Amino acid sequence: MEGDTTDMERTAIVHKYSKKGKHVRKRRLTAETETDMERPQKRNETESRGEGRPSQKQTPSVDNSESDSEEETNIYKGPTFSIKSRAEVIQRKLINHLTDPDNGIKQGTSKYILNKIGNLQNLLQESLLINSRLEGKLEALRSENKKQRKEFAEVGKKSTTAAQSEKLTYAERLGIKSKAAGLSNLRQNPPNVVLIRPKDTAKYANSEETKRALIDLVSPKEDSLQVKNVRRIQGSAIIVETAKSSNVHSLIANEKLKTAGLVVDVPAKKSPRIIIYGAPRRENDAETLQAIIDQNFNEQEKKKYAQQTKIAFKTGNKNNKDSCNIVLETSKEAREILIKKERIYIMWQCCRVQDYIVATRCYKCQGYGHTTKHCRSEGDVCGHCAMAGHTFKNCPNKSKAAACVNCKKSGKSHNHSVTDKDCPSYIAAINLVLARTDYGK
C-alpha cells in the first residue's frame, strides 16, 4: 500500500544513516524490529475487516514492549554494564521507533533524527577514547607514586636508624642485653651518688643515725645542693643521690662530715654478672668453673681471667637434678668476651649466656635494694593494693585494680602493679644497679 515501507527499504534506511556516524557499526535489525515489521501485515488484515487505517496525524507512541524492557534491565544491572552498552540499546530503540510506519513520523524528520543519532555516536566514541587515555595516565601516576613512597620509606628508615644510634640508652651503649628490664626506658647517664658511712660503727649504730647526722651537719641551701634522694642501706651507711656531679664533689670535700667521723666516697662499682642457662648441675663448683675457663677462653685469656671469675650462686628448679642456671661474677673484660659468644660450652653442654641485671625487691615492704631478711619495716605492705597490714596472699582487694606502693610513695602515677616492668620505680632501681656495675665504659 502507498506510504508503507518494505522490509528491504527499511533495512536500507537504517544502514544508510548509521554509516554517517564515523565509528558506528553496521547493525542488523533485531528480533524486536522484525516483530515490528510484521505490523503492516496485521494492519492490512485489520483494514480488510473494515476497521479502517490509522490517521497519519496520530501522535507517535513509544514502543514499551516487554522484550526491550528486559534487555535494558539486564544491561544496566549485569556485569557487562557500560556507558557504551546503554547507548547502543537506546540507539536501537530510537531507530526501531523512527522506522516504524505506524508511528506516523515523516520520512524527512526520520532522516534528520537518524543523522543526529550518528553524530551522538561519534561523540560517544571520542569520549570513550579520551577516558581510556586518562585511565592510562592515572595508572602511570599511581605507579610513580608507589615508587616514590618506597623511596621515601627507605630514606625515613635510614634517618630513624641514624637518630636511634645517636640516642642510645645507657645500657644499650654498654651492649647489655637483658630480659630483666625494659632497656629502652633506661636513662643514658648513671646517677650522681655518694656513699656516706661512719668510721666507727659504735658512734652511729644504724643508717638512720647516719642520715640524721647528715641533716644536722649539712645545709643544702648554704652549700647549693640539689639532693634527689637519701636512701638507707644495709648496715650504718646511706646513699645520697644529687642532681649535679658538682654536688658529689662538694659532699666529698665537706669538712664538717669528716670532723663528725663520716667517710664520704663514691660507691665502689660491683663486678658485672652474667647468667648461664641450662648448665650441668654438679656438686663441685670448682670443677664447673674450670670447665668454663678451659672450654671458652684461649691460653692467654685463661691465665688472665681465671682469678677474676667465680660462681656467685645457682638458680632454677631444685628438683631438676641434671641442669641449673649459674650466675657468674667476673671482670668487665671477661664478661665482654663471654657475652659476645652468646653461647658457651660446659662439659657436654652448649649453654646460652646473658647479662644478669636484677633489682632486689623486698617482699615485706615492696621496696628495692634489700631483701625481707634485712627489712626494717614494722609491718607488711601488700604488693597488689599497696595497703599496709596484710600480705599479697591475704589481700581482700584482689578483685580491684592493682596499685604500686613505691610509685605511690614517690607521688607518681601508681595505677599499675609493683611487678610491672614499665614501672618508673622499677626502672629507677635497674638504673641504679647499672650505675653501680663496672662495665668499663
Side-chain angles (χ1 to χ4, degrees):
M1 294 180 65
E2 189 178 273
D4 292 338
T5 306
T6 65
D7 294 350
M8 184 176 297
E9 289 174 341
R10 292 203 306 141
T11 303
I13 291 173
V14 173
H15 177 64
K16 177 180 178 181
Y17 289 102
S18 63
K19 283 179 63 179
K20 287 189 177 183
K22 190 173 183 180
H23 300 286
V24 178
R25 296 181 299 174
K26 297 179 180 180
R27 300 189 178 279
R28 296 171 56 188
L29 293 178
T30 62
E32 298 171 354
T33 307
E34 292 173 357
T35 303
D36 293 339
M37 290 180 179
E38 297 175 358
R39 292 180 181 174
Q41 183 179 356
K42 293 180 180 179
R43 184 185 59 194
N44 293 337
E45 294 175 357
T46 303
E47 289 177 352
S48 63
R49 291 195 299 266
E51 294 178 9
R53 181 178 179 180
S55 173
Q56 294 291 338
K57 294 183 181 181
Q58 182 179 355
T59 304
S61 60
V62 179
D63 182 11
N64 290 323
S65 63
E66 184 178 356
S67 60
D68 286 352
S69 177
E70 290 179 354
E71 181 182 13
E72 186 175 353
T73 302
N74 292 335
I75 291 176
Y76 288 177
K77 293 184 178 181
T80 58
F81 167 75
S82 67
I83 297 175
K84 185 177 180 181
S85 300
R86 293 178 62 182
E88 289 176 351
V89 171
I90 296 172
Q91 181 186 19
R92 186 171 65 251
K93 290 174 68 67
L94 284 173
I95 292 174
N96 290 340
H97 182 70
L98 290 171
T99 56
D100 187 356
D102 291 341
N103 292 331
I105 300 176
K106 293 182 180 180
Q107 187 174 2
T109 303
S110 177
K111 290 181 179 180
Y112 177 78
I113 296 175
L114 289 171
N115 184 31
K116 296 304 178 183
I117 290 174
N119 294 338
L120 290 174
Q121 186 70 12
N122 291 339
L123 292 175
L124 175 63
Q125 293 292 341
E126 292 177 6
S127 299
L128 293 174
L129 182 61
I130 293 173
N131 183 66
S132 178
R133 291 174 180 172
L134 290 176
E135 286 181 351
K137 291 181 179 180
L138 180 60
E139 185 63 29
L141 289 173
R142 286 174 177 169
S143 300
E144 182 66 21
N145 184 44
K146 185 177 180 180
K147 182 179 178 182
Q148 290 182 356
R149 283 178 176 273
K150 188 176 180 181
E151 292 176 355
F152 290 153
E154 291 294 332
V155 173
K157 186 177 180 181
K158 292 179 180 178
S159 301
T160 303
T161 303
Q164 289 176 347
S165 63
E166 293 177 359
K167 297 181 179 180
L168 294 177
T169 64
Y170 176 60
E172 289 168 340
R173 286 192 291 126
L174 299 177
I176 296 173
K177 298 178 181 179
S178 174
K179 292 183 178 179
L183 297 181
S184 60
N185 293 326
L186 301 180
R187 58 192 176 198
Q188 287 183 257
N189 299 316
N192 301 303
V193 296
V194 292
L195 176 66
I196 302 178
R197 57 182 175 82
K199 283 184 180 180
D200 185 3
T201 55
K203 187 175 182 180
Y204 301 97
N206 52 54
S207 58
E208 183 61 36
E209 292 183 5
T210 304
K211 180 180 178 181
R212 193 178 301 114
L214 172 67
I215 294 173
D216 293 338
L217 295 170
V218 179
S219 172
K221 182 179 179 181
E222 293 177 1
D223 296 339
S224 300
L225 295 178
Q226 296 179 347
V227 180
K228 298 180 70 175
N229 187 26
V230 178
R231 192 163 59 87
R232 297 176 297 172
I233 61 174
Q234 185 178 350
S236 301
I238 60 173
I239 287 181
V240 180
E241 182 181 356
T242 64
K244 301 178 181 178
S245 59
S246 59
N247 295 157
V248 171
H249 300 304
S250 177
L251 287 171
I252 293 174
N254 192 290
E255 292 296 333
K256 293 181 181 180
L257 294 176
K258 293 179 181 179
T259 304
L262 294 173
V263 178
V264 184
D265 198 2
V266 176
K269 291 192 174 183
K270 298 180 180 180
S271 298
R273 290 181 172 184
I274 60 175
I275 183 169
I276 304 169
Y277 295 99
R281 186 186 290 274
R282 303 177 68 89
E283 295 297 331
N284 192 336
D285 289 349
E287 187 178 344
T288 302
L289 182 60
Q290 192 60 46
I292 295 173
I293 298 296
D294 292 340
Q295 293 180 247
N296 299 281
F297 293 106
N298 58 39
E299 292 300 325
Q300 184 179 358
E301 292 170 344
K302 289 177 186 178
K303 297 177 182 179
K304 184 176 181 181
Y305 303 130
Q307 301 301 321
Q308 301 176 5
T309 305
K310 66 177 182 179
I311 295 178
F313 55 89
K314 300 176 183 177
T315 66
N317 188 355
K318 294 181 179 180
N319 296 325
N320 188 343
K321 298 180 180 180
D322 297 325
S323 64
C324 64
N325 302 328
I326 297 177
V327 176
L328 206 65
E329 189 173 293
T330 185
S331 65
K332 55 190 176 184
E333 295 86 2
R335 171 255 167 199
E336 187 173 356
I337 292 172
L338 294 175
I339 288 296
K340 284 183 178 180
K341 291 180 181 293
E342 295 185 353
R343 285 185 173 273
I344 64 173
Y345 302 96
I346 307 175
M347 302 297 184
W348 295 95
Q349 302 286 96
C350 181
C351 309
R352 184 166 57 92
V353 63
Q354 195 173 39
D355 282 296
Y356 184 77
I357 307 171
V358 175
T360 304
R361 180 168 61 88
C362 174
Y363 290 108
K364 184 178 181 181
C365 71
Q366 309 304 324
Y368 290 102
H370 66 276
T371 60
T372 304
K373 182 179 178 180
H374 301 99
C375 183
R376 293 188 177 92
S377 177
E378 295 179 357
D380 293 318
V381 178
C382 181
H384 177 76
C385 66
M387 300 294 290
H390 63 268
T391 62
F392 172 79
K393 183 178 180 180
N394 302 319
C395 179
N397 303 313
K398 286 185 178 180
S399 59
K400 298 180 181 179
C404 175
V405 61
N406 295 311
C407 290
K408 187 177 181 180
K409 289 179 180 178
S410 303
K412 302 174 184 176
S413 176
H414 55 275
N415 298 326
H416 57 268
S417 172
V418 71
T419 60
D420 192 339
K421 297 303 180 184
D422 292 325
C423 170
S425 297
Y426 170 73
I427 293 172
I430 290 292
N431 268 310
L432 194 57
V433 171
L434 290 171
R436 291 178 179 177
T437 306
D438 184 12
Y439 290 106
K441 296 181 181 181

